Amino acid sequence: AVEQRENFLYLGGSFTQVAGQDADYMVIWDLETDSWVPFNHDIDGIVRNIHVMGDYMVVGGQFSAVGNMEAGGIARYNFATEEWDDMDGGLSGSQGRTYALNSEDDVLFVGGSFQQAGSLDSPFLATFNMQTGEWGTLGTQTSGTVYAFEFDSDYIYIGGGFGTAPDGSSISRLVRYNKSTETFSQVGETITGTNARVSSLLRSGDYLYTGGQAFENFSENDDLFNLARFHLPTEEWETLTDRTVSNTFNFLGLREFQGNVISFGPVNWVNGAISGRIIRYSPDENRVTLLGEGLHQEARTNVLTRFDNQLFTGGFFRSSAELPADRFAAFAPGNRGWLETTSGWLRPNGEVFALLEHQGYIYVGGSFAQTGNDPGNRLAKYDPLNREWSTLIPESQSMGGRVLSFAADGDNIYIAGSFSSIGDVSGNRIMRYHVPTGEFHPLGEGTDGWINDILIHDGYLYAGGRFEQAGEQAATRIARYDLQNQNWEPIPGGSPNEEILALHVHNNHLYIGGRFTNLVDRAGRFIAKMNLANIGTWQTVGSTIDNGIGFRVEAIATLEGTIYIGGEFDESLDIELNNIARLSDDGTEWLPLGSGTNGRVNDLLVWDTDLWVAGSFNRAGDKPAAGFTVWSLDPNYMPPVNIATDPRDVPQSVELDQNYPNPFNPVTTIRYTLPESGHVKLEVYNIAGRRVATLVNANRTQGTHTSVFDGSRLSSGVYLYRITVNGQVSTRKMLMVK
């Protein structure tokens, strides 16, 4: 809840602390001094609404007391006397909560979940005269929560989850009250849906805009998908969007701004595109568009593969640009555009972890249980030419666990993951699928734990993961299977102390990446290699990668003879890497790719002179990159999102940019630019001056760098970040709001 009065913003919510001080669900922001002011009135529960009427501020929510005063979900504060009153006892019965406040003249309209207002029976809907201090009612038959009010010269519009209107008539979810006749009527065709509710209303021009949850239809009209408008002259409903992620999601707010309607709420995607929880509707264009990048829910891409002139990616996402793409999407590098796919509408808990192009089809594996209307059972096949799905498992059979990796050899596809069987065939985490016959076959006894990655090289299938045994052999986290003799073999040379996540072969060397830290002392941290011509000894790869919680190498690739790695790591020998790096020409150190990415890299794919990158990041090279980007060696190629740092004039002094995003919760990125190379110290302090984090304390080269600050273990509030370079000091403020 936010309301402005004079030079102050009053903010309410579910927080209890701001800037290191107790806030008790409400706080003030001073617009003149740009600082927080404690409210200091001891509200004991969530504040959902703030509404200013003259000398009064009415606060509503789910609280029972303000200081020593009992307050049933609503109270008002007199700015002149600096005193509270309980509005004749407030709300009681049911939950005693306020969800909606609005006013006309001296009358306050209150909606929520309650049975009585003061001593008056007035379920879910009441009025309060601010001059007389008396409660009133528009009717006593409302049968469900009221969430929104809107006014025009003739009507009061009331939205909610009710099934009966205040006068007892069977008008549900949306009703209008005629001020002249004091009667209720229906607004067009009835909104239906078992869990439907109207949460927000906006009167603009000839239209009443409605936002809410679980709209199913308006009589004979098609689905209106939670966001619609009602044309008042003709009394007809119109749809604004094609679909939302689920009708359980909700448009909570509607605002008019510069001729556009802004809608916000926990809705992940609209018209098949990630909405970032906030969208814009232009009446002139009759078009819904995204508002910038919005405020994205976590989205990630896990894996990449190539077919013809298309690149396919899989992960956990719901759109590619403005196209629906449910965990599976296609991109055309030639025209730098996303392609439409029949994405399969994988179930909400599903995710794609493995892709393989084989004989004109894309094989898809993960944790999903459905593709289209057919069972997919974590394993499916996609025809990219006809955009059709099919399943590899008979309809009457199923599969547990996850598919995490594929490899192909002739007519055989090898499938690995965490499963114990596919259909009625037991396989213990790995299977062979014979394409011509459609039959599954085990590889001996399989392994006793997860397999994260597999590859085939020179007659062997190599497997890495978190197992202790392969077949009947002791084989800790890595083993190989002789495809001709059909038996498992351990790989000597030492056992990784943590799981293996990635395998790669280059120049007859087997490269492994993962979470391990022990193979070649400290230098074998997260990546190592072994000469397959002289199997038995692990060797270091490049310089030591610094240790950290959750650090790992997730992907390894070779581009024009150079090894590239991706994962989750910060530095190597004080060189800032940020989750992606390449091996130097002499093989002795890891070098950065621009300023890297601000989140984990999950997969790498080489295509001509380009390295395509998938992961859990939203910026790469300080440019927007929603889990997908490319690093190109071709100086004439301009990819859609490039990891390279922005070209700019070299500054004369150190530039410390404002963190992005700001405010943040709980992760933000800090960018700084150096006029010359030097030693950098980047630190974060709380408002009391105590240092809470050191982000950088190392040498950095000339140019632009970024550093990520994670405040998940700290409280909400104002923090200072300070950079010191060669005696120059710069400081900025940032705000974390949880």
Side-chain angles (χ1 to χ4, degrees):
V2 179
E3 184 80 310
Q4 182 177 354
R5 184 178 187 269
E6 297 176 348
N7 292 319
F8 297 100
L9 283 179
Y10 294 84
L11 299 94
S14 60
F15 52 83
T16 57
Q17 192 176 70
V18 172
Q21 303 180 53
D22 292 339
D24 293 320
Y25 306 100
M26 196 164 171
V27 72
I28 306 170
W29 179 258
D30 189 325
L31 295 171
E32 287 189 347
T33 63
D34 283 341
S35 62
W36 292 108
V37 179
F39 194 57
N40 294 331
H41 289 282
D42 298 328
I43 299 174
D44 70 347
I46 297 172
V47 172
R48 296 187 179 275
N49 312 95
I50 303 172
H51 189 70
V52 172
M53 298 175 67
D55 288 335
Y56 286 100
M57 175 175 64
V58 181
V59 178
Q62 54 192 80
F63 49 84
S64 59
V66 179
N68 296 322
M69 182 187 74
E70 293 185 2
I74 192 168
R76 65 175 177 173
Y77 178 75
N78 190 318
F79 289 107
T81 65
E82 298 184 352
E83 294 179 345
W84 288 93
D85 72 81
D86 66 356
M87 300 177 67
D88 196 24
L91 310 173
S92 58
S94 188
Q95 297 173 324
R97 297 179 179 179
T98 301
Y99 287 103
L101 294 176
N102 211 334
S103 62
E104 189 173 47
D105 298 326
D106 291 329
V107 179
L108 175 74
F109 290 80
V110 182
S113 178
F114 52 86
Q115 294 296 319
Q116 293 85 34
S119 59
L120 183 68
D121 288 337
S122 187
F124 306 105
L125 171 65
T127 63
F128 185 82
N129 190 305
M130 296 293 287
Q131 294 297 323
T132 66
E134 295 178 346
W135 286 100
T137 182
L138 293 181
T140 60
Q141 302 299 313
T142 312
S143 62
T145 305
V146 170
Y147 291 104
F149 299 106
E150 185 61 305
F151 306 92
D152 64 20
S153 59
D154 299 319
Y155 295 100
I156 301 172
Y157 298 91
I158 305 166
F162 49 84
T164 302
D167 64 349
S169 59
S170 58
I171 303 173
S172 60
R173 282 85 186 186
L174 180 61
V175 64
R176 60 185 168 189
Y177 176 76
N178 190 310
K179 300 176 188 178
S180 299
T181 64
E182 298 184 351
T183 57
F184 290 92
S185 61
Q186 187 168 297
V187 182
E189 301 291 346
T190 302
I191 298 175
T192 63
T194 304
N195 299 309
R197 71 187 191 193
V198 173
S199 301
S200 53
L201 295 169
L202 174 67
R203 176 77 159 81
S204 177
D206 289 334
Y207 290 94
L208 176 71
Y209 291 84
T210 63
Q213 169 178 302
F215 296 180
E216 289 185 359
N217 59 58
F218 291 66
S219 188
E220 298 178 356
N221 289 8
D222 293 334
D223 292 353
L224 297 191
F225 299 108
N226 306 354
L227 183 62
R229 68 178 183 176
F230 182 71
H231 190 229
L232 296 167
T234 62
E235 300 220 338
E236 293 182 352
W237 285 101
E238 299 175 4
T239 184
L240 302 185
T241 67
D242 294 338
R243 66 176 72 86
T244 58
V245 61
S246 165
N247 61 13
T248 61
F249 284 82
N250 194 1
F251 284 99
L252 293 176
L254 293 167
R255 297 288 188 273
E256 188 171 17
F257 181 71
Q258 295 182 350
N260 295 312
V261 175
I262 308 299
S263 181
F264 53 90
V267 179
N268 293 340
W269 60 294
V270 175
N271 291 349
I274 294 176
S275 71
R277 297 171 173 81
I278 184 166
I279 63 172
R280 172 176 53 204
Y281 174 73
S282 172
D284 293 340
E285 300 177 6
N286 190 26
R287 181 168 175 255
V288 169
T289 57
L290 309 185
L291 196 63
E293 294 179 61
L295 308 171
H296 294 306
Q297 186 185 37
E298 179 184 0
R300 53 189 173 271
T301 55
N302 296 322
V303 63
L304 301 165
T305 195
R306 176 182 176 178
F307 169 75
D308 196 19
N309 290 318
Q310 301 175 37
L311 188 151
F312 288 85
T313 183
F316 187 81
F317 49 83
R318 301 306 297 262
S319 68
S320 55
E322 295 187 358
L323 295 174
D326 196 357
R327 278 81 165 172
F328 180 75
F331 184 79
N335 59 25
R336 304 174 200 160
W338 290 97
L339 304 173
E340 186 173 354
T341 62
T342 305
S343 59
W345 307 109
L346 310 181
R347 284 187 178 174
N349 63 346
E351 189 163 353
V352 172
F353 296 105
L355 294 174
L356 173 72
E357 186 281 322
H358 183 66
Q359 297 178 355
Y361 291 93
I362 306 296
Y363 290 81
V364 183
S367 59
F368 52 86
Q370 183 173 327
T371 52
N373 296 319
D374 300 321
N377 291 319
R378 296 157 175 81
L379 187 60
K381 182 172 69 173
Y382 182 72
D383 181 347
L385 297 180
N386 298 309
R387 301 215 308 262
E388 295 178 350
W389 286 93
S390 58
T391 181
L392 275 63
I393 304 173
E395 185 174 348
S396 60
Q397 300 178 14
S398 62
M399 173 185 179
R402 298 177 173 184
V403 173
L404 299 175
S405 185
F406 292 116
D409 181 33
D411 287 335
N412 294 300
I413 295 174
Y414 295 86
I415 307 162
S418 62
F419 54 86
S420 58
S421 63
I422 299 179
D424 58 2
V425 181
S426 297
N428 289 333
R429 289 91 189 175
I430 190 163
M431 285 275 201
R432 175 174 63 88
Y433 175 71
H434 189 236
V435 176
T437 62
E439 295 178 347
F440 294 95
H441 304 274
L443 269 66
E445 298 297 322
T447 63
D448 64 346
W450 285 26
I451 297 176
N452 292 318
D453 198 14
I454 56 176
L455 64 81
I456 293 174
H457 176 71
D458 199 20
Y460 287 95
L461 180 144
Y462 292 84
R466 58 173 74 174
F467 50 84
E468 300 290 335
Q469 184 170 311
E472 298 180 354
Q473 304 289 324
T476 304
R477 301 178 180 88
I478 187 165
R480 67 179 183 179
Y481 184 79
D482 188 324
L483 296 175
Q484 181 175 354
N485 297 319
Q486 299 185 17
N487 62 276
W488 286 97
E489 299 177 1
I491 295 179
S495 300
N497 61 336
E498 293 289 345
E499 67 181 316
I500 291 174
L501 300 169
L503 302 174
H504 181 70
V505 170
H506 173 62
N507 286 342
N508 206 38
H509 281 75
L510 173 67
Y511 290 78
I512 62 172
R515 303 176 188 266
F516 54 86
T517 58
N518 69 321
L519 280 179
V520 193
D521 298 324
R522 291 181 64 253
R525 185 181 294 158
F526 310 130
I527 184 167
K529 67 178 180 179
M530 178 180 289
N531 190 335
L532 295 177
N534 185 24
I535 194 166
T537 302
W538 291 108
Q539 300 172 313
T540 61
V541 183
S543 48
T544 303
I545 298 174
D546 288 353
N547 205 354
I549 298 175
F551 282 9
R552 84 287 294 270
V553 168
E554 289 264 2
I556 310 170
T558 303
L559 174 60
E560 295 197 346
T562 298
I563 294 290
Y564 290 76
I565 59 172
E568 189 167 0
F569 46 82
D570 285 343
E571 300 178 343
S572 175
L573 300 184
D574 292 336
I575 298 175
E576 189 176 17
L577 301 176
N578 290 331
N579 309 308
I580 190 167
R582 68 176 179 88
L583 195 61
S584 62
D585 292 341
D586 61 8
T588 61
E589 59 181 335
W590 292 108
L591 302 176
L593 275 66
S595 56
T597 65
N598 69 343
R600 189 175 70 239
V601 170
N602 294 327
D603 198 19
L604 301 171
L605 182 141
V606 173
W607 189 333
D608 298 330
T609 59
D610 303 325
L611 183 72
W612 294 90
V613 184
S616 306
F617 49 83
N618 55 38
R619 297 189 73 79
D622 203 37
K623 295 181 176 67
F628 179 70
T629 189
V630 60
W631 172 269
S632 181
L633 299 183
D634 182 356
N636 298 316
Y637 177 61
M638 295 297 292
V641 179
N642 197 332
I643 286 183
T645 52
D646 292 334
R648 60 171 66 187
D649 294 334
V650 177
Q652 298 301 309
S653 60
V654 175
E655 291 184 354
L656 180 63
D657 293 349
Q658 186 65 52
N659 62 301
Y660 175 88
N662 187 48
F664 64 96
N665 176 24
V667 177
T668 189
T669 299
I670 298 170
R671 183 176 70 176
Y672 56 95
T673 304
L674 308 180
E676 59 185 4
S677 300
H679 187 271
V680 174
K681 182 177 285 188
L682 181 60
E683 301 164 300
V684 179
Y685 294 83
N686 63 18
I687 200 66
R690 183 174 65 85
R691 186 175 61 207
V692 297
T694 299
L695 305 181
V696 180
N697 187 13
N699 291 321
R700 290 290 182 263
T701 58
Q702 179 193 65
T704 300
H705 304 266
T706 59
S707 186
V708 176
F709 172 59
D710 185 346
S712 56
R713 290 177 289 183
L714 300 173
S715 59
S716 298
V718 176
Y719 290 86
L720 306 175
Y721 56 100
R722 183 176 72 183
I723 189 170
T724 305
V725 185
N726 299 336
Q728 298 183 52
V729 179
S730 296
T731 304
R732 279 184 175 268
K733 291 182 181 180
M734 58 184 173
L735 173 63
M736 180 167 64
V737 179
K738 292 187 176 180

